Amino acid sequence: MQVQPLAFAACTIVASNYLARSLVLHDSLKVQHPETDFWLLLIDDAPLSALSRQAVDRRGIHILRVAEIHLPSVEIDNFRMAYDLTEISTAYKPWMMETVALRSGLHVFYIDPDIEFFAPMTSLVVAVQTHELVLTPHVLHPMKRDGCQPAESDIMGSGIYNLGFLGMNRSASQVIEWWKERLKRECYSAPAEQRFTDQRWIDFAPGLFDCFISKDETFNVAYWNADARPVVLHEGEYSIRGKPLSFFHYSGLNEKTPHLLTRHHAGRPRVLLSEHSALTILTENYVKAVHAAQQECADVDMGYVFNEFPSGGSIALSLRRIFLRELVRAEKEKEIPPPSPFGPDGEEPFFNWLTERLVVHGNGVPVPRLFLLLRELRSDLISAFPNPTGRDADRLVEWFQKEGPKQFSLPRRLVPAPILSVQNARAKNLVPGLEIIGYLRTESGVGQAARLLTQGLQNSAIPFGTLVDTSPVSRQMDPFQDHKTDELSAEDAYECCALCVNADSVVSVRRRLGRDYFRNRRVVGLWFWEVETFPKHLNPAFQEVDEIWVASEFVRNTLAAISPVPVHIIPLPFGMAKPSLSLDHRAVGVPDGFFFLFSFDFHSVFRRKNPLGLIEAFKLAFREGEGPALVIKGINGDAYVADLEHLRHAARDRKDIIIIASYLDTATNQALTAACGCYISLHRSEGLGLTMAEAMCQERPVIATAYSGNMDFMNEGNSYLCRFEMKPVGPGSAPYPAKALWAEPDLQHAAELMRLVYGSPNEAADKGRRAASELAARFSSERCATAIEARWQALRAMKPVAKKELTMDDSISPSVSTQVKTLRKARQRPLDVDGAVPSLGSILFQGPRKTLRKMLQRIERQRKLFDDAVVGATSDHDKRLAKLEKSISELREQNAALLQRTVTRPLIE
């Protein structure tokens, strides 16, 4: 007798941005369980668009709205303010499951929308018939204590059971009521408090209710357990230890970064797709399915409206927390609860409630409620301001004026402008010489530039010393030796110093060393910058230096156009190759024979260095096994695991592409460069391009994008230059402005150049030798020393300008506008007396009245120049101020969104 399948209801909860995933869930579940009754709770109030409605109706999906799950309307308003998107989606679960059970008359499974089924879950469907709850633990094996994420502590903080999947018997009313009571006010995420939405509460369930806990490894496989449950692909079927995979949970998988299994643990993830080929295929197929579903409902609204206030602006997590806490307190003390900005009266009552000034005790000072409530969230603020409405009130308000918007991501309307203080400093006894301050032991391009500057100084007559800054996170193992020409006392300092750090670090370095360290000294900045647009938020760095040194014409042109201080080129002495050892190919992991090489630092912006474009060009140039290999060496990849995984993902199908993601010692680095058949850099922009120069000094042929700093030492005669088009930088490449332009190399041309170099070794060798000869002549230590001596003498002749303490205006003011410069010139221009006062002959022949009229007209023309400049400068100021206000508003909203995502990022979903 054939056993009839057991019917059950399945439900999921989504905002509109996850609708496509819920369709993939539905379709995969229906294949395994056609009898399923599928329900979808949409937490957005907006109606479904036409295409989305058609996609849902074709599948027979039951749609529920929040107003239909028997949650009072006032609680819906409270939930939308108290909880963020992740929290609210889980808080609705007991109400949703109860409603589905009542309407369908079936036992219910809640299933996260980012789950996909591959085989039936029959044992769980059977179990829910006789148990109140069906649960799946996060892990079924002891976790390796290897420092990877998630670790056991993450599991403890997030809950033993994963509630992305949960079965509930339709008669489990006691479970429902117990769960509702807790999620109503305590469904928030607070990892420090061992709280994570609804999951921690279910840890109590096995002791309170009748639970079935599944120990089947094929259920709920995800990033937190995939290392212990190896997924195998054989003849199109996925399995785990010989059993068919039932369902996989793609928690944290982002279609835009398919090389990462999850976004939740990008630091040291437990599972890397580059090490699991079956998982890579699994996730790639899922991304394709989601994309197809997105096309099916292409007109869906991708935003969650309750991330923002009704009038706009992101809602900071801190505001959600104080609202929830005050809501609980008011209910406990039977007071009027705080108004939700999503209530019937809108957001104004909520903002008025926050800004109301309170006196907590006696005759204290009135302080805005917002400041008092936020103070209670931080133990450091409680300690710093123990009497917030008494003696500490003014300091508390001042602190929030200065730090509140940044540290709590507060809306601008809630906090006035900040106030900055001024420090006093004392002078040192200055002696002739130059101090080099920089990352002199850091293995990075900026560190190497500082070391090259000291190398040039050793060929000069300038007394100099070095100060090593070890603050960068890059490895600090360069064998640099400190240098001091003279022994200086603690009260003495060289009269000039060179800060060999980029503009974004100048202010922080000066503040760390203190104002007295630089008092009356001439300060030079050795700067690099990689695009033709310099961001205005870095303009305060100009105020910290007396002049700027750069290593290429590209950087000089960019900075000189806006800099209020002189900008000069110092030719760094990279022209002489250091002796290199023979490379041990096997020890380094590179093949014998010809290989293309590219080296880069992940800290230097992955998209700018463009290793993905290089891989694509290599694939265009050569099929696997045609002869050459491609070696890409990157450092600091452990700090950018997502980018490193992207790189490995791009190279996964080619054994002739070798990724070296580790540091090599200096000698091995030099040997690797000397052993390559050709060095190649398809960068989008470079401030200089030291790795290219180092390869050329080793007589290696070099292929490079024909743009930016490398063009100071590269030409058609000594290298192979790749064509390009200028394209916008776009988002995601900070610190470079999204609207700035950089080069997009022609990958087809790059492939042609690679084939040319590989197929014409004699021509390539000739170019390499020519390059080495040219660089040795142009970029020697002697030339560098001559340039430094000239600038040092000029600096000594400068009158020291006292550097003022940075103010808020300084930190945001743009460079001086053309209108302001015109205004200054017009104001300083003396009255043209000779031109305005007519000659005696004019007075005699033209008459006094006519002469006076002409004289006044001439004066008026001069005055009009000044007036026009005033009007232009004022108009320019107004435009800049409006633009600045808009930029600050946008930045605060971005910071708020980032803070929310960072603080509330789920440990385990």
Side-chain angles (χ1 to χ4, degrees), residues 267-336:
R268 289 198 62 192
R270 184 162 295 283
V271 179
L272 297 176
L273 289 179
S274 60
E275 299 173 356
H276 299 272
S277 59
L279 279 182
T280 299
I281 297 171
L282 180 76
T283 55
E284 286 178 345
N285 289 337
Y286 178 70
V287 168
K288 291 176 183 176
V290 172
H291 180 70
Q294 288 172 341
Q295 294 299 109
E296 191 177 356
C297 49
D299 59 347
V300 71
D301 178 8
M302 298 304 291
Y304 174 61
V305 66
F306 303 110
N307 277 336
E308 298 183 343
F309 289 108
S311 63
S314 298
I315 302 176
L317 178 65
S318 56
L319 296 182
R320 294 190 188 274
R321 289 294 171 262
I322 63 176
F323 174 84
L324 178 59
R325 194 180 66 179
E326 288 303 291
L327 183 61
V328 171
R329 186 192 62 78
E331 291 173 343
K332 180 179 179 181
E333 299 180 8
K334 295 182 170 42
E335 296 180 355
I336 299 175

Side-chain angles (χ1 to χ4, degrees), residues 152-184:
E152 289 170 333
S153 58
D154 298 316
I155 300 296
M156 289 189 289
S158 300
I160 301 304
Y161 307 100
N162 178 257
L163 291 199
F165 181 89
L166 172 72
M168 182 175 292
N169 189 285
R170 67 189 176 198
S171 301
S173 57
Q174 287 185 322
V175 176
I176 288 289
E177 294 307 316
W178 169 82
W179 205 16
K180 282 182 182 178
E181 184 180 2
R182 280 140 187 84
L183 299 195
K184 183 178 179 182

